[in-house]
Amino acid sequence: MTRKILLIAIILTSFLNNNHMSLAQPEIPDIWYFSHNNQAFIIERADGEFTRILATHKKAKNGDYAVAGWSSSGRWFAWSTEPSSDLPEIPVATVVSRDGNKLITLVDATLGKPLTHLQWSPADDFLLVSQRFYPNYISDINDASPEEVHRRNFVYDPDSEQIIVEFPSRLEHGTWLDDGQHILFEESTIDSAKNWQLFEINADVGTPKLQIKREAECLSRNQQVFVVDSFLIHNTCGKSMEVINPSTMETMLFEAPGTSICHVDWNESQDNGILYFAQSRDILAAYFLSLETKRFEFIAEVSASANVRARNVGPLSASKSNWSPDNAAVAILNDSSTITLLFPNDGHTQQVELADIDDTMELQFYTWHPYGNRLLMSGTTSHGEKSAIYEYNIETNEFSLITEKEQEYAPYYHLSFSADTNYFAYTNLDHVVILNESYQQLETLGVVQGYNWFNTDWDGESAPPFVFLGVSWHESQNWFFMETAWDYGLNRHVNVANTTGNSQRELQEIYLPKDSYGWLPPLSEK
């Protein structure tokens, strides 16, 4: 009897321990990517387990492909190929179901060779297909005359395998609005002017809901129309700016600089944002716009080159916006060492001067701390002999040093936090450094395993021929992608790893087009 009780106790203890361990182990996310070895799109767990082929795709040496990615529900995946001398087949657009069981090819060979742009609706599993066709006997579309180029634009529903709406052939470069009901197109004109037409997919497509015409006297002003959330923003020919709500057709008019809008940093949760107007080649004028209060006011003149260089933008950035996580403030980069913080609720501003620490230090990258009350900034001296990372406390207006070193051309890049805020990462040459929330170093991960940058012809004095493209964290798990490029961006390496570094592995070792890998999105209801 005693032996039976002891045996039951051992079994129960073992069960509880195993259960505890399984509960304690974090879930490993799934990834997708294009495998050059398999010539296929792959789905697998981030640690390399449970690999399966989503769809095969023959990659041409001189050809390319563009990935539209996953539909809003995560049920469909789409990509398109481009013409190539290595692949005589007609390029196609392809849609495949998440389980790989249903594969749909969209092609019309009678119109010639297509260049295709695909974009999923942000609200439904509808795919916008925009194509330009040119004759098979012409090797490059740029060699085709306007009469030889044919356009086609339509919205495709993969569930019903039907084209639900087709638009006039004179249109191109379609963009969905966030409501999923409207699409903005550019219209080709004989005089090369750029006009825009807005269509509602559930209405008569013979007549656009809205037309925005670019007048002849404004051709030199680079007039643009920006889609922000479900609004359209554009500068008119005169000194004014229109904000249009396509659902209600309400229009708000603001007095604005008579120059082009070159960038919009929009805060979707608050319906406000920063608009940058071109003052000259080197200077931008930053304005704050609130649609709720109809407030539009000048904030500062800023350096165009510094804003391009120092923002954490791009597919692998920690944040594509300069707004704080709590939306209480926005960072506006004035020049190579100064940031203006704007607090929209009361309108006050605060200057952040990296020169207060070292007047030779120039800002490289910056990002918000997840709590919203601090900025992380990396800088390097003008001659590149010293680099450092600082944390700036907005409430105390004080800087604190996180790390620094003296080594030429080795600046710190791509500052980012994990989703749970427990980890901070930065990149430096060919490695990623992981720190805890107290900025104590935990791991150093090399991006390209077994590859020595310094076996190249780099002289060690000029800027190196490789660049770190960034770190992309999973939205809920402590896993991340690392991507770097060498040969001046022609070749890339992609690694996926966790914060302990015990599951780091390489996905690619040759050229990658943009958006050819990512986290597998969760399934959602249509």
Side-chain angles (χ1 to χ4, degrees):
M1 185 68 178
T2 304
R3 292 180 64 185
K4 286 186 177 180
I5 294 174
L6 181 60
L7 182 60
I8 292 172
I10 291 172
I11 293 173
L12 183 60
T13 302
S14 176
F15 170 78
L16 291 174
N17 285 340
N18 288 336
N19 230 11
H20 172 73
M21 288 176 65
S22 64
L23 290 173
Q25 291 175 349
E27 182 182 350
I28 300 175
D30 292 321
I31 64 173
W32 68 270
Y33 62 94
F34 180 76
S35 168
H36 289 270
N37 293 334
N38 295 291
Q39 292 285 283
F41 289 98
I42 301 294
I43 292 178
E44 65 188 14
R45 211 168 66 175
D47 61 358
E49 299 292 329
F50 307 108
T51 301
R52 66 178 177 90
I53 291 178
L54 175 66
T56 57
H57 165 65
K58 187 177 181 181
K59 172 74 168 63
K61 290 181 180 178
N62 298 324
D64 211 339
Y65 60 97
V67 178
W70 295 92
S71 64
S72 60
S73 71
R75 296 172 57 245
W76 298 95
F77 182 83
W79 77 96
S80 63
T81 57
E82 293 182 0
S84 169
S85 58
D86 297 316
L87 290 177
E89 297 91 347
I90 294 294
V92 298
T94 307
V95 184
V96 61
S97 59
R98 188 185 182 104
D99 58 14
N101 292 332
K102 187 175 182 180
L103 189 140
I104 305 167
T105 299
L106 306 175
V107 64
D108 186 348
T110 62
L111 296 177
K113 294 184 290 189
L115 289 175
T116 304
H117 173 73
L118 305 176
Q119 186 183 15
W120 287 107
S121 164
D124 299 287
D125 286 350
F126 294 156
L127 183 66
L128 172 62
V129 182
S130 298
Q131 294 177 308
R132 290 185 297 160
F133 296 87
Y134 60 102
N136 293 323
Y137 56 81
I138 296 178
S139 59
D140 191 305
I141 193 171
N142 295 317
D143 298 329
S145 66
E147 294 77 18
E148 292 175 309
V149 177
H150 303 279
R151 293 178 174 83
R152 191 181 183 201
N153 303 278
F154 58 90
V155 174
Y156 184 78
D157 177 13
D159 284 304
S160 64
E161 299 186 47
Q162 297 291 323
I163 294 175
I164 61 173
V165 60
E166 186 149 5
F167 301 97
S169 60
R170 65 182 181 276
L171 306 175
E172 60 183 343
H173 302 147
T175 301
W176 288 97
L177 274 64
D178 281 4
D179 61 9
Q181 296 299 311
H182 296 88
I183 301 174
L184 181 70
F185 289 97
E186 292 182 13
E187 179 187 17
S188 300
T189 59
I190 298 177
D191 59 2
S192 298
K194 187 182 292 184
N195 299 329
W196 294 267
Q197 295 195 8
L198 182 74
F199 288 86
E200 188 171 6
I201 63 172
N202 294 323
D204 177 16
V205 296
T207 304
K209 188 173 184 179
L210 173 69
Q211 296 188 68
I212 300 175
K213 292 188 176 183
R214 186 179 183 187
E215 300 176 29
E217 59 268 27
C218 293
L219 293 181
S220 62
R221 295 188 183 178
N222 193 27
Q223 184 180 359
Q224 298 289 340
V225 177
F226 286 86
V227 175
V228 290
D229 197 3
S230 291
F231 295 90
L232 302 177
I233 298 179
H234 76 102
N235 52 320
T236 66
C237 189
K239 288 193 173 184
S240 61
M241 177 183 70
E242 280 187 334
V243 180
I244 304 168
N245 183 339
S247 297
T248 63
M249 293 304 292
E250 177 189 3
T251 299
M252 290 176 277
L253 195 64
F254 299 89
E255 184 177 347
T259 57
S260 61
I261 304 171
C262 57
H263 177 65
V264 177
D265 190 0
W266 198 250
N267 180 351
E268 294 184 5
S269 66
Q270 302 291 327
D271 273 349
N272 56 31
I274 303 296
L275 279 61
Y276 293 87
F277 291 81
Q279 298 291 86
S280 66
R281 175 179 293 183
D282 302 320
I283 300 297
L284 306 177
Y287 281 75
F288 173 74
L289 170 65
S290 170
L291 298 184
E292 181 180 357
T293 63
K294 296 182 173 56
R295 178 174 141 214
F296 183 68
E297 60 186 35
F298 172 77
I299 301 300
E301 285 191 347
V302 301
S303 164
S305 60
N307 272 270
V308 169
R309 176 171 56 83
R311 280 207 192 98
N312 267 342
V313 298
L316 289 177
S317 65
S319 172
K320 294 183 180 179
S321 172
N322 294 311
W323 287 88
S324 62
D326 58 2
N327 298 311
V330 60
I332 302 168
L333 183 61
N334 295 62
D335 52 41
S336 60
S337 64
T338 306
I339 292 176
T340 295
L341 298 178
L342 170 67
F343 299 84
N345 286 343
D346 58 15
H348 86 273
T349 59
Q350 183 173 326
Q351 298 296 111
V352 183
E353 301 275 358
L354 197 59
D356 290 345
I357 304 172
D358 186 337
D359 58 9
T360 66
M361 190 73 71
E362 294 183 354
L363 185 63
Q364 294 293 321
F365 280 82
Y366 65 91
T367 192
W368 285 95
H369 188 282
Y371 296 156
N373 60 346
R374 285 166 277 173
L375 276 175
L376 279 295
M377 310 164 68
S378 69
T380 187
T381 52
S382 55
H383 296 291
E385 66 275 8
K386 178 183 176 181
S387 300
I389 299 177
Y390 301 95
E391 181 184 73
Y392 173 75
N393 189 309
I394 295 173
E395 297 171 356
T396 63
N397 196 27
E398 293 178 343
F399 287 91
S400 57
L401 179 67
I402 294 176
T403 185
E404 66 177 345
K405 68 176 178 180
E406 295 185 6
Q407 179 183 348
E408 288 192 358
Y409 294 105
Y412 300 112
Y413 285 135
H414 301 283
L415 317 176
S416 61
F417 287 88
S418 61
D420 62 6
T421 73
N422 290 331
Y423 299 96
F424 172 68
Y426 64 83
T427 66
N428 180 245
L429 288 183
D430 61 346
H431 60 269
V432 175
V433 180
I434 307 295
L435 299 84
N436 63 17
E437 56 188 352
S438 301
Y439 303 128
Q440 297 171 325
Q441 185 170 325
L442 301 176
E443 296 285 343
T444 299
L445 307 178
V447 174
V448 184
Q449 302 172 28
Y451 184 88
N452 185 355
W453 295 117
F454 302 100
N455 288 338
T456 67
D457 58 359
W458 181 41
D459 57 19
E461 296 180 358
S462 60
F466 51 87
V467 59
F468 211 118
L469 300 180
V471 173
S472 175
W473 291 90
H474 187 265
E475 62 181 9
S476 61
Q477 305 297 330
N478 291 323
W479 284 76
F480 54 90
F481 287 110
M482 304 180 291
E483 181 179 345
T484 191
W486 73 99
D487 292 343
Y488 302 95
L490 296 179
N491 295 287
R492 304 185 186 187
H493 278 269
V494 177
N495 281 223
V496 62
N498 58 15
T499 48
T500 63
N502 61 11
S503 293
Q504 181 184 355
R505 63 192 186 92
E506 189 177 36
L507 299 182
Q508 304 288 350
E509 199 173 354
I510 55 178
Y511 173 77
L512 284 169
K514 180 182 176 182
D515 298 334
S516 58
Y517 65 94
W519 307 109
L520 186 68
L523 281 170
S524 61
E525 295 294 331
K526 277 192 65 176

